[in-house]
Amino acid sequence: MAYVLAIGDRAYSSWSLRGWLAFAKFDIPVTPRLARLYAPEFAALLAADFAPARTVPALRIEEAGGNLVLWDTLAIAETLAERHPERGLWPADPAARCLARSLAAEMHAGFTALRSACPMNLRRCYAGFVPDAAVLADLAQIEALWTAARTRHGGGEPWLFGAYSLADVFFAPVATRIATYGLPAGPAAMAYVEAHLADPAFLAWRAEGLADPVVQQGYDLDLPERPWPGPDQAGAR
């Protein structure tokens, strides 16, 4: 059996980051296939090898009995948890697992104001960005969810449920948005953001994104920049 994962540009595709982390953080081997966002090759790759998927991430499972294709990050996450129960993708405790699934589902379906105003951009870190009321409301709800998870099940660890879980996978791009746009967050939330920014799997993903020579149009803002708050990766290759 082999997993092949279609992803978009690492610097910009937040859903691709989630899909990839679901493999990388739980030591599940996968072969990524880059589908360049907004380019003809994007639709061509999906049509050739991941049909009927039209978005990334998309996963092809190659097995002796034939290939399976699935798409959508939540579907991929649940399939991996089902196929690899020994890897602990969800928390073992039933109450924690219920809450973790609820957090992931809310992230999957909501927070549209934050997503629209603050697209993921791992190349930039701005000074002077002013979030509107809708973005602030999204951030308040996100921080409330993080606090609930860490208070009930965090056990003093940096991750939401003690050990890293799929709930952390789903919020990883939110951490990058807080970093890129300098969004307001309390001390506990910022500690959680910093844990994501320093995570070795995320650092590997961002390094490849920074080394990618293609800069997508429409993501950069005309604002002053400041240093990235996580580990320096200026020499990424």
Side-chain angles (χ1 to χ4, degrees):
M1 184 190 70
Y3 293 118
V4 182
L5 186 72
I7 61 172
D9 302 53
R10 289 177 175 86
Y12 307 105
S13 181
S14 59
W15 289 109
S16 295
L17 171 58
R18 290 181 179 98
W20 183 81
L21 283 173
F23 288 90
K25 288 298 296 179
F26 302 99
D27 296 321
I28 302 173
V30 65
T31 299
R33 295 278 305 278
L34 179 65
R36 183 71 66 192
L37 297 173
Y38 318 117
E41 67 188 71
F42 183 89
L45 174 63
L46 293 180
D49 297 326
F50 299 90
R54 296 189 299 173
T55 60
V56 290
L59 177 65
R60 188 172 75 246
I61 304 174
E62 300 176 344
E63 298 181 306
N67 294 342
L68 303 174
V69 172
L70 63 151
W71 58 100
D72 184 278
T73 310
L74 195 55
I76 293 170
E78 289 287 15
T79 298
L80 291 180
E82 179 183 77
R83 285 173 164 255
H84 301 278
E86 76 286 354
R87 301 299 173 96
L89 277 74
W90 290 118
D93 177 73
R97 190 162 62 250
C98 284
L99 184 58
R101 281 189 161 123
S102 296
L103 265 64
E106 185 167 354
M107 181 66 252
H108 183 268
F111 307 116
T112 54
L114 175 64
R115 291 182 192 175
S116 298
C118 306
M120 191 177 84
N121 186 346
L122 301 184
R123 299 179 185 274
R124 301 285 181 253
C125 189
Y126 297 113
F129 179 82
V130 180
D132 63 22
V135 171
L136 291 175
D138 277 356
L139 290 169
Q141 173 64 0
I142 288 167
E143 192 160 350
L145 295 176
W146 292 356
T147 299
R150 296 179 77 188
T151 300
R152 298 178 197 175
H153 304 288
E157 297 299 324
W159 306 116
L160 295 176
F161 294 89
Y164 192 99
S165 75
L166 287 171
D168 301 298
V169 165
F170 274 78
F171 282 104
V174 174
T176 76
R177 287 174 162 100
I178 290 173
T180 292
Y181 299 93
L183 300 175
M190 281 307 304
Y192 180 60
V193 169
E194 290 163 2
H196 278 290
L197 300 185
D199 181 70
F202 170 74
L203 290 173
W205 175 275
R206 183 170 181 258
E208 293 203 46
L210 294 177
D212 188 339
V214 175
V215 176
Q216 291 285 4
Q217 300 299 309
Y219 283 86
D220 291 349
L221 300 180
D222 186 17
L223 286 173
E225 293 193 47
R226 58 190 178 89
W228 180 259
D232 181 21
Q233 291 183 274
R237 295 173 57 188

